[in-house]
Amino acid sequence: MCGKTTHPQNEIITDLLGLDITVLLVTGEYNYGNDRKIHITDEEEVFKAYAFTQLDSIDLYKLLPEDYDDWEIYRPAFAETQWNPNQHNRLLKEIANDNVSAFFISFDKKVIVAPYDGGVDFVMIDSSAKNVYKEKYKEWLSGREDGL
């Protein structure tokens, strides 16, 4: 949908969420062993602006042994924050540069906002709202038939 600039992302995310709305910022990291004591939210400078709560590690091998090796774990974390335009530019730029991964969840608006190094995806519960935004921002979609 958009490249390395945060302006288009700010525009559409604000259009979807509004101003001063509470969102959860979610991130995590894959590790290969339970003995690692430092979490990505403590290491990456861009995450230090947020007050993350670290969740228990998920043993991926126990969950899906055919896809993961023993001791492969995922350590999720989340932080409650507000969405306002340009407030998260630094984070959006780090995501766009493929340095970190994170997404926003709005329970009020029932939307997941998942920026990545090639744009941003939105998961919406309401298909009619999805179609409105798809039409409104159609010039930002790729030329592929599915818009991806």
Side-chain angles (χ1 to χ4, degrees), residues 44-120:
E44 292 291 337
E45 195 63 36
V46 71
F47 287 135
K48 291 182 180 179
Y50 305 93
F52 278 93
T53 298
Q54 296 177 14
L55 302 175
D56 291 338
S57 295
I58 300 167
D59 187 332
L60 298 171
Y61 179 73
K62 285 183 182 175
L63 193 64
L64 296 165
E66 64 280 357
D67 295 331
Y68 295 96
D69 292 327
D70 196 19
W71 292 105
E72 285 187 89
I73 61 171
Y74 184 75
R75 296 177 63 196
F78 70 92
E80 187 174 288
T81 188
Q82 299 296 117
W83 176 264
N84 283 299
N86 302 311
Q87 179 177 340
H88 305 283
N89 282 354
R90 189 167 171 227
L91 176 61
L92 292 172
K93 284 180 184 177
E94 287 295 304
I95 294 169
N97 289 323
D98 202 22
N99 294 327
V100 297
S101 296
F103 59 93
F104 299 93
I105 299 173
S106 168
F107 291 105
D108 292 338
K109 301 291 184 167
K110 296 179 176 58
V111 174
I112 297 173
V113 177
Y116 59 97
D117 64 338
V120 61

Side-chain angles (χ1 to χ4, degrees), residues 16 106 108-112 122-134:
L16 281 162
S106 168
D108 292 338
K109 301 291 184 167
K110 296 179 176 58
V111 174
I112 297 173
F122 301 95
V123 180
M124 305 170 80
I125 195 166
D126 182 352
S127 61
S128 62
K130 178 189 96 169
N131 291 334
V132 167
Y133 286 103
K134 188 175 180 180

Side-chain angles (χ1 to χ4, degrees), residues 117 139-140:
D117 64 338
E139 70 278 2
W140 292 4

